[in-house]
Amino acid sequence: MNQYGINVKGIVEYQGRYLIVERWFDDRIVDPYQWGFLDDKIVFGEAPEKEVLRITSDMTSLSVHMKQALYTWSYMVGEVFNIGIAYLLQADNDEVLLSEDLNDYKWVAREELKQYIENPMVLKDVETYL
């Protein structure tokens, strides 16, 4: 039986700066907290465009609207083929209230993203699409 997972990523922009969040990743590595964009698996039956808006609101309390779908990516974990869709979102303000799942946040310029995000594939996508 084929198994699939769908992920969404919200890249939130406000006045030329992008929201990155720090979250716990894995306590088996030296630095278990890592910076990245908002992302999560979607709830079965929910449209990805609606889900990325809900996830962003739930994780940050930000009011955002959809600008555009930016790119897709895929990867395997065991027997599950995962597909991701990244969206560019526009925030109405920069007042973030983090959910308990997140440790910290920053608004950074595009050029600063490489100082925080370690995943080379994400950085390549940002260079290409932002």
Side-chain angles (χ1 to χ4, degrees), residues 44-96:
F44 180 78
E46 186 69 71
E49 298 86 3
K50 289 184 180 179
E51 191 71 2
V52 74
L53 297 173
R54 182 193 64 75
I55 288 167
T56 301
S57 176
D58 288 354
M59 291 182 168
T60 66
S61 296
L62 284 171
S63 174
V64 298
H65 61 272
M66 181 76 58
K67 284 188 79 171
Q68 68 186 64
L70 286 178
Y71 61 89
T72 63
W73 74 96
S74 61
Y75 62 96
M76 292 286 295
V77 175
E79 298 292 318
V80 179
F81 183 70
N82 293 277
I83 300 167
I85 309 167
Y87 294 93
L88 180 60
L89 309 173
Q90 182 69 50
D92 295 335
N93 62 62
D94 64 351
E95 298 172 19
V96 175

